[in-house]
Amino acid sequence: QVRLVESGGGLVQPGGSLRLSCAASGRIFSINAMGWYRQAPGKQRELVATITSGGSTNYVDSMKGRFIISRDNAKNTAYLQRNTLKPEDTAVYYCNADINSGSIRFMEYWGQGTQVTVSS
């Protein structure tokens, strides 16, 4: 019932920008941390950034200054902004979230991913 859906990916030229969205829907009591990951072809999935329910952010060191993670709690949505995209940013981008849907524990949910291709 709980679902995460990423959107906003596509084909862009180097130097372009994108803002990805991750919307949570279903029976949701509360959402704690949300995060963005990416997986390039032939490589392992890697963490990009996380954001708490209060808006505190954490970035992987290599991602600092290149990505901006944000969220709108009223919309149950997280965002990932990237300006000056590079070819090495090409990957499938996934979001995840720790969601309490009425049980005593939070569970981690994943979206299906959105493709970002940076090429001239």
Side-chain angles (χ1 to χ4, degrees):
Q1 294 186 29
V2 175
R3 181 180 299 174
L4 294 177
V5 179
E6 302 96 335
S7 62
L11 175 64
V12 297
Q13 293 185 339
S17 63
L18 283 175
R19 190 174 81 153
L20 307 180
S21 298
C22 174
S25 62
R27 183 180 179 182
I28 299 173
F29 179 77
S30 63
I31 304 177
N32 271 350
M34 303 183 76
W36 282 97
Y37 294 72
R38 69 180 185 181
Q39 186 169 17
K43 297 183 178 180
Q44 297 182 8
R45 186 175 299 184
E46 62 178 345
L47 175 67
V48 176
T50 61
I51 184 168
T52 69
S53 60
S56 297
T57 60
N58 285 286
Y59 297 89
V60 173
D61 187 64
S62 62
M63 308 296 179
K64 292 181 179 179
R66 302 181 63 242
F67 293 89
I68 299 174
I69 188 171
S70 61
R71 66 190 289 169
D72 185 337
N73 290 336
K75 298 180 179 179
N76 289 330
T77 300
Y79 305 94
L80 185 69
Q81 174 74 38
R82 173 69 168 106
N83 296 328
T84 317
L85 283 159
K86 300 178 180 180
E88 51 263 42
D89 292 322
T90 296
V92 177
Y93 285 73
Y94 300 88
C95 72
N96 80 329
D98 294 319
I99 299 175
N100 186 308
S101 60
S103 68
I104 193 172
R105 297 188 305 165
F106 286 85
M107 292 185 62
E108 187 172 67
Y109 294 84
W110 289 87
Q112 293 300 309
T114 183
Q115 176 71 50
V116 173
T117 302
V118 184
S119 177
S120 59

